[in-house]
Amino acid sequence: MLFVVAGPSGVGKSSVSRRLLEEFPRLSLSVSCTTRPKRRGETDGVHYHFVERGEFEAMVERGEFAEHATVHGNLYGTTRRTIDEAGAQGLDLIFDIDVQGAASLRDAYPDAVTCMLLPPSVAVLEERLRGRGTDSDDVIAGRLAAALGELDRLDEFEFAVVNDTLDETYELVRAVYLAGGQRTQARIDALRRGIGLPVAGSG
Ligand code: 5GP
């Protein structure tokens, strides 16, 4: 199962994903490639695969990405290999990606379960973006404009959860993950097999 938790930066996707990963051993994080510089506390191969722009562009040319997007001037992408390897190991994957990436991923993998995380209000999102304390006003204004554009695509998602308090948000996203897992084709095929119904493509 591919579980996409999308939404603008600052909305709290990584806190929710981290908790799901702690609770569900069968769930693994899709580690993206990015050209942005590593932040303090980040480890290559754990938080991201940090690659040079030239290398990223070569990977795009070779068709290695299931989706890729430019976010705040840096390139980000999910490789097909990441998805294939998780599938081979029987793991679910959680994606902490932006809204454009979620849309491309759904085009490539229509079975993906998609959930958008929303801020309680635009004002709260602005506060959270400022709260990081690392960026200039211009950068924050740019992020806010990008965030509004992303939120506007809410209707493209199957599920949406408002991130007000982390505990409540977590319970809802967890419910979406568990319910979403029941509607994938793999799950439906397994159910059919389980009760002795024929399964398409298995002869
Ligand atoms: P950050 O640089 O703060 O880690 O992430 C910036 C934004 O890029 C976040 O909204 C994050 O979800 C998004 N992002 C991270 N990895 C990917 C990816 O592989 N593809 C896409 N489309 N967005 C990503």
Side-chain angles (χ1 to χ4, degrees):
M1 172 196 180
L2 305 184
F3 185 42
V4 182
V5 179
S9 32
V11 85
K13 288 170 290 183
S14 38
S15 308
V16 172
S17 316
R18 211 175 304 130
R19 245 162 113 161
L20 274 178
L21 287 161
E22 280 166 18
E23 180 173 349
F24 296 99
R26 67 164 185 277
L27 183 65
S28 159
L29 176 70
S30 167
V31 180
S32 302
C33 296
T34 183
T35 62
R36 89 148 157 71
K38 202 194 290 179
R39 294 189 188 126
R40 199 180 312 145
E42 287 182 331
T43 307
D44 189 29
V46 175
H47 299 92
Y48 283 103
H49 300 292
F50 294 95
V51 299
E52 298 293 326
R53 185 168 281 261
E55 171 59 9
F56 195 103
E57 285 164 354
M59 291 170 76
V60 172
E61 283 295 304
R62 293 195 296 265
E64 289 182 25
F65 287 109
E67 65 78 30
H68 62 93
T70 302
V71 186
H72 312 311
N74 296 304
L75 301 172
Y76 293 82
T78 309
T79 61
R80 294 179 197 285
R81 188 171 156 191
T82 299
I83 296 175
D84 293 346
E85 284 179 355
Q89 293 174 53
L91 293 172
D92 291 343
L93 267 188
I94 185 166
F95 298 81
D96 171 344
I97 64 181
D98 84 325
V99 171
Q100 314 163 65
S104 333
L105 201 68
R106 200 179 37 229
D107 289 344
Y109 299 86
D111 221 18
V113 176
T114 60
C115 181
M116 193 196 266
L117 213 54
L118 301 168
S121 69
V122 171
V124 168
L125 181 67
E126 186 170 0
E127 247 170 61
R128 286 185 190 164
L129 290 175
R130 285 188 195 289
R132 288 185 173 182
T134 47
D135 300 309
S136 68
D137 282 357
D138 276 1
V139 169
I140 291 166
R143 292 201 166 189
L144 195 62
L148 291 178
E150 294 204 71
L151 293 174
D152 209 34
R153 297 179 64 174
L154 172 60
D155 300 20
E156 296 173 31
F157 287 77
E158 290 175 284
F159 299 95
V161 172
V162 175
N163 188 10
D164 206 338
T165 64
L166 184 59
D167 285 344
E168 281 173 40
T169 306
Y170 181 68
E171 285 309 316
L172 286 170
V173 175
R174 181 181 186 279
V176 169
Y177 168 61
L178 292 174
Q182 300 300 308
R183 79 111 176 84
T184 62
Q185 196 57 50
R187 175 66 181 152
I188 291 166
D189 288 350
L191 287 171
R192 291 185 70 97
R193 255 183 231 107
I195 63 171
L197 286 169
V199 177
S202 69

